[in-house]
Amino acid sequence: MKFILSPSILSADFTHLGEDIRQVKAAGAQYLHYDVMDGAFVPSISFGMPVLRSVRKFTDLVLDVHLMIEKPERYVDEFADCGADMLTIHYEACEDLQGTLRRIREKGMKCGVALKPGTSNAVLSDVLDQVDMILLMTVEPGFGGQSYLPASTEKIRELRRMVEERGLNVDIEVDGGIKKENLSEVLGAGANVIVAGSAIFAGDIEQNVKDFQVIMDGRK
Ligand code: DX5
Ligand code: ZN
């Protein structure tokens, strides 16, 4: 299985975003996690298309865009045009999940479905064979810097079992409260794409990425 680190720029310093991105790339991160919040699906508002366009011009990292917005189907084409490589939409926010996933693929992006902590894996049974990735929120979506919800570990394990039982090749991304201290726990449960914001963009960014990679390499 491939193990991938996706640093979340929600926790970057936006006065020198380019420099922060340069550092995570130099240290070996493969993805960049980009959290879009609309103040409706989640209480907070983050950033949207113009910033994504600038980031796309600046880096060739895989842009892993996590839409925490109502009716994400409205913006699929625009996010493709801004340079997203992967587009993940929330099960709870989307009226036509299958149609939206199809549109994401038609636009040449990889597609993912995200679940809030309280949403059961069971809702995925109809779409699991149509996605590249499932994103399990391991905190309530909306803010960086929260604590990992311990019940998530069993949910990751259950989802990995579902994926394996069906013989699928679906990535499991975990997002929220992931630190060096609980990284082994989520990897052991079956997560293979790791989002981390506050644990990466505080202190020595390059060293933080390297510390994560050492733990992830131990799993290969
Ligand atoms: C939260 C976002 C996360 C956030 C994670 O709603 O989806 O991607 O940036 O931040 P940390 O790693 O600090 O919990
Ligand atoms: Zn996210």
Side-chain angles (χ1 to χ4, degrees), residues 1 7 15 19 38 56 67 82 90 97 105-106 141 190-191 198:
M1 200 186 311
T15 60
E19 173 56 19
D38 67 351
R56 174 75 295 165
L67 296 185
C82 291
H90 266 269
L97 198 56
R105 289 204 150 152
E106 279 168 12
S198 50

Side-chain angles (χ1 to χ4, degrees), residues 82-102:
C82 291
D85 296 300
M86 309 171 59
L87 204 60
T88 295
I89 54 179
H90 266 269
Y91 168 83
E92 304 86 355
C94 190
E95 282 170 7
D96 174 15
L97 198 56
Q98 311 227 4
T100 309
L101 292 170
R102 207 174 316 118

Side-chain angles (χ1 to χ4, degrees), residues 146-214:
Q146 304 181 74
S147 297
Y148 178 80
L149 295 168
S152 311
T153 306
E154 198 40 52
K155 191 173 174 187
I156 300 164
R157 201 170 282 128
E158 182 190 61
L159 179 59
R160 180 52 73 193
R161 255 195 317 264
M162 281 170 71
V163 167
E164 276 172 5
E165 274 166 17
R166 297 189 187 198
L168 298 170
N169 183 18
V170 173
D171 288 325
I172 299 180
E173 180 172 54
V174 284
D175 185 5
I178 310 295
K179 318 258 170 229
K180 287 165 216 168
E181 292 71 27
N182 58 13
L183 180 54
S184 295
E185 179 176 334
V186 297
L187 293 169
N192 70 306
V193 181
I194 306 298
V195 177
S198 50
I200 296 288
F201 291 101
D204 185 338
I205 295 175
E206 293 202 37
Q207 192 56 51
N208 293 335
V209 170
K210 286 179 188 153
D211 290 348
F212 267 69
Q213 300 277 12
V214 166

Side-chain angles (χ1 to χ4, degrees), residues 8 33 35 66 68 135 137 175 195:
S8 169
H33 189 78
D35 287 306
H66 176 195
M68 284 165 276
L135 184 163
M137 284 303 312
D175 185 5
V195 177

